[in-house]
Amino acid sequence: MTPTVTGIRKLLGLLHLASPALPIGAFSYSQGLEGAVDAGLIHDGASAQAWVQSGLEHVLATNELPMLAILYRDWEGRNLSEVDWSNTWFLASRESSELRQETEQMGWSLAQLALSLQWHDAERQTTLRSLKPICLPTAFAYAAGALRIDLESCVAAYAFSWIENQVAAALKAVPLGQIAGQKILFAMHMIVPTVALRAIDTTADHISTFAPHLGILSARHANQYSRLFRS
């Protein structure tokens, strides 16, 4: 394979993994956004953008993305016992039962897809199969390594997938128009690279799970009278 063909295959793998069409059920979750709409915190494009940016910079960047980077390195370095530990740690860090169920369901779905397509070698497939429950960052890091996606692209793709899902939820729950949603997506282009690089450089000792506002809204959402999303 020439370098050009190799690069194209890596790009296709990245697009495949980050695609909204990936059958892991992301469309059914809002990750607290619907709760924020119900509480009146999100009511237009500007407030929706502020919510998404805050979640990216102060929630994903301090916990989920650093854990994704750690898990990626562990999968690629065959530190399989560390994969198990990090997976368990991340599950315990979820702010509410809804968010815990979300990462378990999406992680399980992506793991089943990876196993069905026989991504990675037999040893790592065996480890992936043994992780029950499994969180989404664990399965995503596994899939990215199997598709030969580099660490920086893996973290950036995960972040953008999260942003895209938040925007899709805002289009329905606020509701917003398509142009307003695209403005939020485009505004995040300038933020994702900094967030991704910061997350990659974050060590396990400096990961923060402090997100009380998100936890409260998510817990309230579990008993919300009327809702479109599962979180």
Side-chain angles (χ1 to χ4, degrees), residues 120-177:
H120 252 328
D121 54 73
E123 181 186 18
R124 279 179 280 204
Q125 287 183 36
T126 298
T127 300
L128 182 69
R129 195 175 285 109
S130 71
L131 295 172
K132 297 177 182 178
I134 182 171
C135 66
L136 180 59
T138 301
F140 197 96
Y142 174 97
L147 295 172
R148 301 293 186 267
I149 297 168
D150 61 85
L151 176 58
E152 291 80 7
S153 297
C154 168
V155 175
Y158 190 102
F160 194 77
S161 293
W162 178 86
I163 294 165
E164 195 169 34
N165 189 62
Q166 288 281 280
V167 170
L171 293 181
K172 297 176 183 177
V174 175
L176 296 180

Side-chain angles (χ1 to χ4, degrees), residues 19-218:
S19 171
L22 198 69
I24 61 174
F27 66 90
S28 63
Y29 299 101
S30 80
Q31 296 199 348
L33 183 143
E34 187 175 34
V37 172
D38 186 66
L41 299 174
I42 300 176
H43 48 83
D44 58 13
S47 55
Q49 180 172 325
W51 170 270
V52 174
Q53 183 171 338
S54 177
L56 178 63
E57 293 181 322
H58 303 297
V59 181
L60 253 72
T62 60
N63 182 5
E64 200 157 346
L65 296 181
M67 285 304 301
L68 175 68
I70 290 169
L71 284 158
Y72 179 98
R73 295 187 185 105
D74 287 339
W75 278 120
E76 292 308 287
R78 295 180 183 273
N79 301 319
L80 302 183
S81 62
E82 291 299 314
V83 168
D84 188 11
W85 188 92
S86 296
N87 180 71
T88 301
W89 189 96
F90 183 79
L91 288 169
S93 76
R94 296 296 75 206
E95 292 86 356
S96 70
S97 60
E98 277 194 347
L99 295 177
R100 164 96 181 219
Q101 291 167 7
E102 175 183 334
T103 197
E104 285 186 17
Q105 184 272 304
M106 292 175 65
W108 181 87
S109 297
L110 182 52
Q112 295 308 302
L113 175 65
L115 291 169
S116 297
L117 297 178
Q118 297 185 328
W119 288 349
H120 252 328
D121 54 73
E123 181 186 18
R124 279 179 280 204
Q125 287 183 36
T126 298
T127 300
L128 182 69
R129 195 175 285 109
S130 71
L131 295 172
K132 297 177 182 178
I134 182 171
C135 66
L136 180 59
T138 301
F140 197 96
Y142 174 97
L147 295 172
R148 301 293 186 267
I149 297 168
D150 61 85
L151 176 58
E152 291 80 7
S153 297
C154 168
V155 175
Y158 190 102
F160 194 77
S161 293
W162 178 86
I163 294 165
E164 195 169 34
N165 189 62
Q166 288 281 280
V167 170
L171 293 181
K172 297 176 183 177
V174 175
L176 296 180
Q178 292 290 339
I179 297 300
Q182 289 300 310
K183 286 181 178 179
I184 297 173
L185 281 174
F186 187 67
M188 297 303 108
H189 285 202
M190 297 297 294
I191 300 171
V192 169
T194 302
V195 165
L197 293 176
R198 171 184 155 198
I200 289 169
D201 289 339
T202 301
T203 63
D205 291 339
H206 290 89
I207 289 177
S208 170
T209 62
F210 187 72
H213 201 184
L214 175 62
I216 292 169
L217 289 172
S218 180

